[in-house]
Amino acid sequence: MTNFLPALHEGHASITLQNLFRDALEAYDDWGANMPEPIVAFEGKRIPISEVFDWMKPCTDIMPANLIGIVTDRLNKPWSGEGPLDAMTVSTAARVMSVLTRRQLRSFGRGSIEIFADRFNHPVHANA
């Protein structure tokens, strides 16, 4: 796992880490079908968004209201949290996004393999 990202402090993320998480969410939101996993930048390093989501799984901070839609719009059922205002934690969002990212990566991988295999399934014509 990425060990150069800032550590959480008692479950809370620094503003730098919160901004990186926001960047990863926005990159996911812009991620089109049949495209490789988006990358975000942190201190000159390129990090796949899946690593950012995995890093944030223990974060107990409340999700910013302006980013919740990126997560909830992709759920099969309406979001209903257990907090007083149905607040979603970053941990919950990170876990959901990790699953969605893995699912998207599997789809991308299958498509690439199918295209590669199709190239070899056509009959070979010899020029005689």
Side-chain angles (χ1 to χ4, degrees):
M1 181 166 286
T2 309
N3 59 3
F4 58 85
L5 289 175
L8 298 175
H9 180 68
E10 296 179 5
H12 299 289
S14 65
I15 190 66
T16 304
L17 201 50
Q18 290 176 23
N19 289 338
L20 182 63
F21 185 68
R22 182 202 65 228
D23 292 347
L25 284 171
E26 290 174 352
Y28 181 92
D29 199 33
D30 295 337
W31 191 6
N34 300 319
M35 292 176 63
E37 181 177 3
I39 303 292
V40 291
F42 177 76
E43 294 183 351
K45 294 178 175 52
R46 296 166 39 105
I47 307 166
I49 62 172
S50 59
E51 289 189 31
V52 176
F53 296 142
D54 286 343
W55 192 260
M56 295 297 282
K57 285 180 181 178
C59 184
T60 58
D61 294 335
I62 300 299
M63 277 289 290
N66 62 332
L67 296 177
I68 290 177
I70 294 174
V71 179
T72 58
D73 289 350
R74 286 158 180 80
L75 299 175
N76 294 332
K77 297 179 183 178
W79 166 251
S80 177
E82 297 175 11
L85 299 174
D86 287 340
M88 177 186 286
T89 64
V90 170
S91 176
T92 299
R95 291 170 194 282
V96 168
M97 296 310 294
S98 288
V99 169
L100 294 174
T101 300
R102 281 193 307 272
R103 188 177 299 157
Q104 179 88 349
L105 285 170
R106 278 195 305 263
S107 296
F108 174 73
R110 269 199 298 271
S112 298
I113 291 169
E114 288 169 3
I115 290 168
F116 179 78
D118 280 348
R119 290 178 23 191
F120 294 98
N121 287 334
H122 298 300
V124 176
H125 299 284
N127 292 333

